[in-house]
Amino acid sequence: MSFTIIGTGSKVPALVKTNEQLADLVETSDEWITTRTGIKQRHICTTESLADILYDAAASALDDAGTRADELDLIVCATIRGDYISPSLACVVQERLRASCPAFDINAACTGFIYALDVAEGYFARKKARKALVLAAEAMSKTVDWNDRATCVLFGDGAGAAVLAEGDDLLSIKLTAVGNTGPLFIPHVGGNCPFVAVQSARPYLSMQGQDVYKFAVSSMCRDIQDVIKEAGIAKTDIAYVLPHQANIRIIDAAQKRLKIPQYKYISNIEKYGNTSAASIPLLLDEANRDGRFKCGDILVLSAFGGGFTTGACVIRWNR
Ligand SMILES: CC(C)(COP(=O)(O)OP(=O)(O)OC[C@H]1O[C@@H](n2cnc3c(N)ncnc32)[C@H](O)[C@@H]1OP(=O)(O)O)[C@@H](O)C(=O)NCCC(=O)NCCS
């Protein structure tokens, strides 16, 4: 017993900033950002909290699934940073949904949605859940240094959700982590403890872009090969690959190495940038609502992120 996806939802905040508009803030250009990353614009939380957009994504997924919030047995939310350190974002959304089930956050950076699917799978396997809500939401705009052109142009804010029910459509899943904090990290904003002399000097996302790039391409290739092997399928059986939307060049490089045809790769990075854990459920929801998936389609999800974490899975679309 694993699960089947019975509904999806997503939401992005209203404010859109194009590459040209960022060129008014830092020394960059639409040409540099587009050719290096594929990103054309991103959405940014202003008046919205993360819980606001995540609630809308969750409500829309429940509606798509024809499921009431009181039917949920689990809410698990992937985020690197909710609106509060405590309570969890999952609990804040649970309150608004009026659900009453275990609810908690997990942090696996950009791989978070796949980690959350794995957590949910455990609830189904132990028969502790018949319906689960898997969420992901990020406000990356609150973590980057808006004076640093090397990072602020890459990220965006968004939220995604999937409702899972008992089923056998998770055909394989793999998670990895290799503790390596150097290339990608975000320090805590310091408190005001009077016994601590030095507070964090630069409380923003730091990234060694080329190290992350190399890790991303090689891990994505390895993980996709591993999960399709474990699922007992061939590359030709895959209908769509939904890769984490960090950089179109990473996706293209992995696609070429894996020799899975490009038309099978779904991407929306141009509209949203890298929304961390929210990127795959945003992609999933857009493709679902476009009517792109047919019943029986084999989907491959693959992500990587800070940690370093990676994850991939094979899911049969069964709606
Ligand atoms: C970030 C990334 C796009 C940078 O591309 P790159 O080809 O490696 O570029 P570099 O960092 O080598 O920088 C090249 C030059 O562009 C400059 N540059 C960096 N950001 C720029 C920007 N927004 N606009 C214009 N120039 C920029 C750099 O200062 C550097 O200039 P220099 O040669 O004069 O020193 C790329 O490394 C990447 O995508 N890495 C993976 C990041 C990622 O996926 N992170 C999320 C993980 S979940």
Side-chain angles (χ1 to χ4, degrees):
M1 172 73 68
S2 61
F3 60 72
T4 192
I5 298 177
I6 60 167
T8 66
S10 63
K11 178 79 179 196
V12 287
L15 182 72
V16 178
K17 285 287 169 190
T18 63
N19 293 345
E20 287 88 352
Q21 288 171 310
L22 295 199
D24 295 336
L25 289 178
V26 288
E27 202 180 326
T28 190
S29 63
D30 175 50
E31 197 266 334
W32 192 96
I33 303 170
T34 305
T35 54
R36 300 284 176 130
T37 71
I39 299 164
K40 299 295 283 182
Q41 63 174 46
R42 68 286 296 144
H43 290 248
I44 295 169
C45 286
T46 52
T47 54
E48 309 93 337
S49 66
L50 260 190
D52 290 337
I53 59 169
L54 186 55
Y55 169 77
D56 287 350
S60 146
L62 286 168
D63 185 50
D64 187 40
T67 299
R68 296 186 319 273
D70 64 11
E71 294 176 67
L72 295 171
D73 303 306
L74 170 71
I75 301 176
V76 55
C77 176
T79 187
I80 57 165
R81 196 198 120 135
D83 292 325
Y84 305 99
I85 291 175
S86 182
S88 67
L89 193 51
C91 284
V92 178
V93 170
Q94 181 200 38
E95 181 182 31
R96 295 197 194 180
L97 290 172
R98 298 175 195 274
S100 53
C101 58
F104 56 91
D105 290 353
I106 60 161
N107 177 353
C110 302
T111 319
F113 185 71
I114 296 178
Y115 267 67
L117 289 177
D118 192 61
V119 169
E121 194 269 341
Y123 273 70
F124 287 106
R126 288 181 287 126
K127 302 205 178 304
K128 295 196 83 170
R130 299 176 77 178
K131 296 266 175 73
L133 180 61
V134 177
L135 305 173
E138 305 282 19
M140 298 305 290
S141 61
K142 296 187 197 303
T143 71
V144 294
D145 178 355
W146 284 93
N147 298 309
D148 175 17
R149 67 177 181 173
T151 52
C152 74
V153 303
L154 302 175
F155 296 93
D157 302 343
V163 181
L164 312 182
E166 290 173 299
D168 291 310
D169 294 314
L170 178 70
L171 305 186
S172 63
I173 188 160
K174 170 187 175 177
L175 308 179
T176 80
V178 268
N180 183 3
T181 46
L184 182 52
F185 64 91
I186 309 168
H188 266 302
V189 180
N192 68 348
C193 174
F195 311 111
V196 178
V198 182
Q199 298 289 340
S200 172
R202 198 175 175 278
Y204 306 114
L205 182 147
S206 286
M207 188 175 70
Q208 307 295 327
Q210 293 186 4
D211 292 348
V212 178
Y213 189 100
K214 286 180 209 143
F215 172 79
V217 175
S218 62
S219 63
M220 207 170 234
C221 292
R222 180 203 60 208
D223 289 352
I224 291 178
Q225 273 168 328
D226 287 353
V227 289
I228 62 179
K229 187 172 172 201
E230 193 194 326
I233 60 162
K235 286 179 191 169
T236 47
D237 296 323
I238 298 169
Y240 295 106
V241 180
L242 287 79
H244 170 45
Q245 304 290 294
N247 184 326
I248 199 68
R249 286 162 58 220
I250 293 175
I251 296 168
D252 288 348
Q255 178 266 323
K256 285 194 182 79
R257 274 200 217 170
L258 280 165
K259 298 190 171 52
I260 296 170
Q262 193 166 28
Y263 69 84
K264 295 191 173 187
Y265 280 71
I266 307 181
S267 176
N268 59 11
I269 192 169
E270 71 283 0
K271 288 191 285 185
Y272 305 118
N274 180 350
T275 56
S276 185
S279 96
I280 288 181
L282 263 169
L283 207 53
L284 187 69
D285 184 50
E286 276 198 356
N288 176 25
R289 283 169 199 272
D290 285 354
R292 196 187 287 231
F293 301 145
K294 295 191 311 290
C295 187
D297 273 354
I298 299 291
L299 312 181
V300 175
L301 281 48
S302 174
F304 53 87
F308 285 135
T309 57
T310 78
C313 63
V314 178
I315 293 176
R316 185 172 41 225
W317 189 255
N318 197 358
R319 304 184 66 201

